[in-house]
Structures are given as C-alpha cells and as structure tokens.
Amino acid sequence: MPNDSLKRVDFIFDKDYNCKEVLYDAFKLTRDEIVEEIIKSGLRGRGGAGFYTGVKWKYAKEEQADEKVVICNADEGEPGTFKDRAILEEVPTKVLAGMALCAKVIGAKKGFIYLRGEYNYLKPKLEQEINKFTDILRSELNFDFTINIFSGAGAYVCGEETALLNSMEGLRGEPRNKPPYPTHFGLLGKPTVVNNVETLVYAVMVFKIGAENFKNIGIQGSSGSKLFSVSGDTPKSGIYELEFGMKVSDFVNEFGDGDAKAVQVGGASGFCVPRKSFDKTTIGYQGKLKGNSLPTGGSMMIFNSSRSMYNVLHNYLEFFVEESCGQCVPCRIGTSEYLENLLALSETMRLTSKCGLGQSVGNSFSSIVENFKEEMIY
Amino acid sequence: MAEVNELVKSLSQKHGKERGSLLPILQGITEIEKSLSAEIMIEVARELNISTAEVYGTASFYSFLDTEPRGEFIIRVCKTISCDMKGKRQIVKTLEDLLKIKVGETTHNKKFTLLETNCLGWCHKAPAMLINDEVYTDLDDNKVKKIIRKYRSK
Ligand SMILES: Cc1cc2nc3c(=O)[nH]c(=O)nc-3n(C[C@H](O)[C@H](O)[C@H](O)COP(=O)(O)O)c2cc1C
Ligand code: SF4
Ligand code: FES
C-alpha cells in the first residue's frame, strides 16, 4: 500500500556529522543572526508543548543579567517515550552542540543536563563526552562553557520545567506559577532556557542544512521531523524519525499488527485516537491542519482488539495518582476521584491546575471514556 | 554515628553547602546506605543549616530517595502500560516467588528489596526493570531467574 504521508528521514541519528564544523560556521554569525535563523526555521520544542525555540532563545537573550543558564531537559518520564535516552546514548555531541549554540545566543556560561535517575547508567559515558566537547569548545572555538549533569530522583513531574528548576534548587519538585517564565526568572532567578534533548539536536540541524531547508520538511506550522517512540501491540517497536503531518491511519498501516483498535498519542497525558478517527487525525502541532491534529512528545502506543481500554485507562490514572505533586487541590483529589469515574471533573481540572500534569489528566480520560464507553461499564 | 558524620561531611565538601546541594548529597548517601535514616537526615540538616523537616520534606518527594530501610540491591519493576501489557505481572510473581517477599518488602538478609516503579523508558523492550542503576529488558521467567542468581552470588 502506498504510504503518502509517512516519510522516514534520518537526521537525528545520522553519525556522518561534524558538530564542531557546524558550530564553527554558526559562530561566525552574530547572536542576532543565529536566533533569527532559528526563528525562521519554525523549529518548535519537542518536549511536548511545542513552543517556538527561536522565540524562547530570543526572550532569554534580551534579558539583562550577570549570569544566564541553559538546561537540557532529559527527564523523559512520559509513559511510552524513550527517544531522549537513545539520543544521549548514540549522538550526545549533537545535544551538547545545541546547548552551546543556545549559550552563545543568550550569553550563558553554564549549562546543565537534568538526567532522570532511571538513566543514571548513562552518566559515566556522558561525562566523558562533556569533557571532550567542552575542551574543544574552549581550545578550538574560543568559547567557555561548562556543562554539568544533575541527576533526577524519580519524579515524573520534575520534567515540567519549573518543577525541574525547583528540584535543582534542592526543593520539592513542585511546579511554580507561570509567569514569571524561566527565560525571565529561572534557576535561582537567573534567565534560563529549558529545552528538550531532541529540540537541541534539531537546533544544530537547522545550521547544518539551513533554515529554509528545515522549513520545507514537514508541514506548515510543524516544520521538520520528529522522533517517535513506538510501543504496545506492534511487531516493530522502537524509535523512528518521521516527518510531521502523517496521518494516524498511515502510521497504523506501517506499525500496527493488523488489528489496532486505538493509538494513544503523547503518552498518559496525551490523547487516545480510536480506529474510526485514524483517517481524520494528523500528527503535528495545532495549526493549519485539516481535521484533528495532535501535538506530541512522540509517544505512540498501539492497542489491538485484545486489550481492555478500561485497563489501559486504569493504568494511566494510577500513574497520575502517584505522580501528582499534590499542590493543587483539584489535581491531588481529582486524580484519585477519576479512578472512581468522574467525567465531569475533567473540565475543572483542566482549568484550575497549575501545571500540565493536572491539566492533561482529562485528555486520556475523556478520549478513552468517550470512545470506548461500552468497555468502561464494569 | 562517626561514620555517618564523615559521609555527610565528605559529600558536602564535594557538592557544597548551598541548598542546591541537597539532592546530590541525599543521592550520594542513598548510593552507599540505600536509604535515608532519621539520624543521617538530622546530620544533613545540621551540615546545610536547614531544618530537618526541610530535608525530610524534600527527600520524601522523590521516589528514589527512600526513607525506609532498603536492601543492597533494589529491584524496581516497571508497572506502566507497555510493561503491564507485556507480562509485568508474571515477572513480579516470579520475583516474589524467588525472593519469598512481596512488593514493598526486603529480604531478611537485607540483600534484595522488591519495588514497582513507573515507566523506565524501555517500553519497546518491555517488560523492564532496574536493579540499582542497571537496566534489564525483554524479561521473561528464565531471564529473571538468571539475573537473580547472578546477584545472589555477588
Ligand atoms: C508534567 C509534565 C512533565 C513534563 N516532562 C517533560 C520531560 O520529561 N521532558 C521534556 O523535555 N519536557 C517535559 N515537559 C515539558 C517542559 O515543561 C517544557 O515545556 C520543555 O522541557 C521545554 O522544552 P522544548 O521547548 O524544547 O520542548 C513536561 C511538562 C509537564 C507539564
Ligand atoms: S496540576 Fe497537579 S502536578 Fe501540577 S502543580 Fe498542580 S498538583 Fe502539582
Ligand atoms: S512502560 Fe515500562 S518501560 Fe515504559
């Protein structure tokens, strides 16, 4: 079957790539020119929320401060996501180069990788790569930039950028109210850019292939490609880099086991797409897409008809009950009430929760309950 | 007690005495002691000049900073959806049978603690588990038995 919308590409893991040279050329530009190039590329954050990376860097660049900070968010805790680990394992230098590029733009001397505790085993090798890379930066590119690893300690919510900052400050990993945003008031009050691992790699790629070329990959409003972590009922589980704009139906044809009844896009905090909507749903950020489009951190879980969607939902809700930080009453109480089956609550929680955890619990809940009502009666 | 003092001192020398050093210090203690005793949290509070309640309040937030006694090898089986679909329950049962403990418990000889945890980032190779920092994936009964045998003889 022809697969129109499924375009496999290989940018992220392409090893034939000299980061030093890409940086060397990029560093010939002014800071303004670099940030304009990123803005022009249309690159958006790959951590889930899809904020424009260039705009974020620009905000931080315009802040007046003695010290600024770059943080690579490697907390990767969304169920069904495992691509950041693979990037750090296979092409760490690209991530470090992305951090250096951001540091150059905003004027930071310090960078951190917030690495989830579950990935501690990566630390020794990553530290070696960091030392090698920062030496090259200093000696060959005349750029002083230190990078340290900060280990997480087992808390999904610390992937939320302000919770991450609190955690690095030695506090409970509870999200802060926003504004102020980290670009203005971040780590210990310093202007801070927090970017996902994958975003940083694509920032380097923009300079490797040029903003115009980058923009031509994918679809309008969602340029470039994206790593997808594929798991569940599939004979081909793994990590795949695909262009934005693919239809869920094409995805299922390629990766399903022939019996897919639902795809959960974006992990426990994402949305469930039932079979009848496979054709109508496109993967990309909300924008000029026809039909429904879903933003995503790249988690794609396939469920076949042998699965009880009630069990799936129950598993997600248990996850949220454990991982809610408990600051907001609706999220703290609501996540456990959900387990008691209260659809009406989802709207209240979406509106009144401080961070994306509480706001998104209702996503899975409503989309699963609405589409698989008959399986919910137990 | 003297040992505890020394450990806390050496970690605060390495990481500093600012509040931001709290997590690295608690992680350093956990690496050696496997869990945080009341004594040691009091010592950390004194060293960083913050209240013990602050230390406990922070530690208790994080699932990898245990305040209950743990064994030398902490087994954390992923219980999130992909692993659940690929037979995590059987893996837990095998481990419970082998170690003769339930989830949440520690063996009498303080060698193993069995816990469950959320998604480990290995869903494509489910079911998965951690033993301390080591990852084990694509688990089945035989594999689990072999792994435990290896750790028993450590
Ligand atoms: C509950 C919660 C968990 C999150 N976990 C992660 C994570 O593990 N990794 C990540 O990059 N972003 C995560 N985010 C998004 C971050 O807050 C932030 O938007 C992101 O790191 C920004 O980087 P980007 O613009 O490059 O995507 C999470 C958000 C929420 C609300
Ligand atoms: S929404 Fe939930 S996880 Fe987020 S800050 Fe509120 S209580 Fe914490
Ligand atoms: S669900 Fe078990 S590793 Fe992701």
Side-chain angles (χ1 to χ4, degrees):
Chain A
M1 185 181 293
N3 227 335
D4 297 345
S5 82
L6 215 59
K7 295 192 190 120
R8 296 269 271 272
V9 287
D10 183 22
F11 297 116
I12 294 264
F13 294 110
D14 168 20
K15 294 228 168 65
D16 185 23
Y17 206 98
N18 191 328
C19 290
K20 189 178 77 186
E21 274 166 26
V22 176
L23 279 188
Y24 188 81
D25 287 339
F27 281 8
K28 286 181 192 151
L29 304 173
T30 66
R31 294 163 61 201
D32 280 313
E33 285 168 340
I34 299 177
V35 84
E36 283 312 319
E37 192 75 1
I38 300 276
I39 291 176
K40 206 164 76 186
S41 74
L43 173 62
R44 300 172 75 157
R46 300 299 199 247
F51 193 79
Y52 285 101
T53 306
V55 176
K56 190 188 277 189
W57 290 15
K58 192 171 177 164
Y59 286 155
K61 175 180 171 292
E62 282 164 3
E63 292 286 334
Q64 299 295 324
D66 297 338
E67 239 187 275
K68 298 182 186 177
V69 182
V70 178
I71 296 173
C72 166
N73 187 345
D75 197 45
E76 188 163 68
E78 188 65 56
T81 319
F82 35 88
K83 44 112 188 162
D84 292 339
R85 174 179 53 71
I87 296 176
L88 288 169
E89 203 157 355
E90 288 177 37
V91 286
T93 317
K94 290 188 189 178
V95 181
L96 305 178
M99 293 177 74
L101 197 60
C102 176
K104 177 81 171 181
V105 168
I106 70 168
K109 293 268 163 275
K110 277 192 189 150
F112 296 92
I113 298 175
Y114 189 100
L115 185 70
R116 70 186 304 221
E118 290 82 345
Y119 295 170
N120 270 343
Y121 79 99
L122 286 175
K123 241 170 124 174
K125 188 176 156 233
L126 200 50
E127 270 163 357
Q128 279 176 13
E129 294 292 336
I130 290 173
N131 288 339
K132 250 196 297 181
F133 180 77
T134 48
D135 279 349
I136 292 177
L137 270 186
R138 202 172 306 112
S139 58
E140 297 182 42
L141 293 163
N142 196 21
F143 187 57
D144 243 323
F145 180 54
T146 62
I147 300 175
N148 283 294
I149 299 174
F150 191 96
S151 297
Y156 161 70
V157 75
C158 285
E160 197 282 338
E161 54 190 6
T162 59
L164 182 153
L165 297 171
N166 279 346
S167 166
M168 286 182 66
E169 292 179 14
L171 308 172
R172 293 165 67 85
E174 292 170 347
R176 304 173 181 171
N177 278 314
K178 291 196 269 189
Y181 291 95
T183 46
H184 175 62
F185 192 91
L187 187 67
L188 297 167
K190 297 164 195 154
T192 302
V193 166
V194 182
N195 269 137
N196 176 256
V197 175
E198 186 185 347
T199 312
L200 291 162
V201 175
Y202 281 123
V204 177
M205 186 184 135
V206 167
F207 285 90
K208 167 94 176 163
I209 67 169
E212 277 306 321
N213 291 327
F214 187 86
K215 220 173 141 184
N216 289 333
I217 306 167
I219 46 172
Q220 201 183 355
S222 300
S223 44
S225 47
K226 170 89 194 77
L227 288 184
F228 290 91
S229 308
V230 182
S231 68
D233 292 314
T234 163
K236 298 192 205 170
S237 59
I239 298 166
Y240 298 88
E241 187 173 4
L242 304 169
E243 276 192 41
F244 272 125
M246 65 170 167
K247 273 200 182 145
V248 174
S249 49
D250 290 325
F251 174 82
V252 168
N253 284 341
E254 175 78 19
F255 292 98
D257 62 0
D259 186 28
K261 76 165 170 189
V263 180
Q264 178 80 12
V265 180
S269 63
F271 291 84
C272 179
V273 183
R275 188 185 285 142
K276 66 172 190 284
S277 307
F278 285 173
D279 239 354
K280 289 177 278 188
T281 312
T282 311
I283 305 299
Y285 301 102
Q286 241 83 23
K288 301 213 166 52
L289 291 169
K290 276 193 235 100
N292 294 320
S293 76
L294 298 171
T296 170
S299 165
M300 304 291 278
M301 278 187 202
I302 305 176
F303 302 108
N304 69 18
S305 58
S306 76
R307 304 293 170 187
S308 148
M309 294 311 285
Y310 172 76
N311 287 346
V312 172
L313 180 58
H314 198 272
N315 190 286
Y316 289 158
L317 291 177
E318 275 180 353
F319 173 80
F320 286 123
V321 170
E322 283 174 15
E323 301 292 347
S324 163
C325 81
Q327 274 189 100
C328 315
V329 177
C331 172
R332 185 180 66 229
I333 312 284
T335 39
S336 25
E337 290 286 311
Y338 261 129
L339 275 171
E340 312 286 308
N341 213 346
L342 281 174
L343 188 55
L345 203 62
S346 67
E347 190 58 12
T348 315
M349 279 170 65
R350 195 173 62 74
L351 294 172
T352 59
S353 297
K354 194 187 267 191
C355 90
L357 189 152
Q359 291 159 10
S360 63
V361 175
N363 294 348
S364 305
F365 189 79
S366 328
S367 54
I368 296 181
V369 170
E370 273 160 24
N371 290 302
F372 297 95
K373 262 203 194 88
E374 64 294 346
E375 294 186 29
M376 296 300 138
I377 304 158
Y378 52 97
Chain B
M1 201 61 205
E3 270 170 52
V4 167
N5 284 350
E6 260 168 49
L7 177 58
V8 173
K9 276 251 154 29
S10 74
L11 286 166
S12 83
Q13 263 162 22
K14 182 169 169 204
H15 299 289
K17 292 193 184 198
E18 304 82 46
R19 179 68 195 244
S21 315
L22 181 57
L23 248 54
I25 290 175
L26 296 179
Q27 286 162 335
I29 296 167
T30 306
E31 211 176 298
I32 293 167
E33 302 285 322
K34 304 300 162 197
S35 66
L36 302 163
S37 61
E39 273 178 346
I40 212 154
M41 285 191 277
I42 293 169
E43 197 48 43
V44 171
R46 195 177 299 145
E47 186 72 15
L48 299 190
N49 203 14
I50 53 180
S51 79
T52 313
E54 288 276 326
V55 175
Y56 179 77
T58 306
S60 61
F61 185 85
Y62 297 95
S63 68
F64 281 19
L65 297 176
D66 278 312
T67 50
E68 280 169 50
R70 299 297 188 206
E72 186 185 352
F73 300 113
I74 304 177
I75 306 173
R76 291 186 166 91
V77 183
C78 173
K79 66 172 158 109
T80 309
I81 189 72
S82 293
C83 293
D84 188 62
M85 284 162 61
K86 303 278 152 126
K88 156 256 159 184
R89 275 160 230 230
Q90 181 56 40
I91 299 301
V92 169
K93 192 171 171 301
T94 306
L95 283 164
E96 286 181 337
D97 290 349
L98 278 172
L99 302 172
K100 309 212 165 34
I101 51 172
K102 297 265 168 239
V103 171
E105 295 177 348
T106 300
T107 53
H108 281 303
N109 62 4
K110 301 264 182 309
K111 191 125 186 177
F112 296 99
T113 297
L114 179 60
L115 302 174
E116 290 184 334
T117 192
N118 283 320
C119 182
L120 292 171
W122 290 91
C123 328
H124 56 323
K125 295 182 189 288
M129 69 178 181
L130 281 179
I131 301 185
N132 294 350
D133 285 344
E134 290 301 313
V135 190
Y136 298 91
T137 59
D138 285 320
L139 297 173
D140 57 34
D141 279 358
N142 273 334
K143 220 165 160 179
V144 168
K145 282 178 193 153
K146 267 197 207 131
I147 294 165
I148 294 302
R149 205 175 307 138
K150 190 180 89 188
Y151 276 88
R152 278 212 166 109
S153 61
K154 271 196 188 185

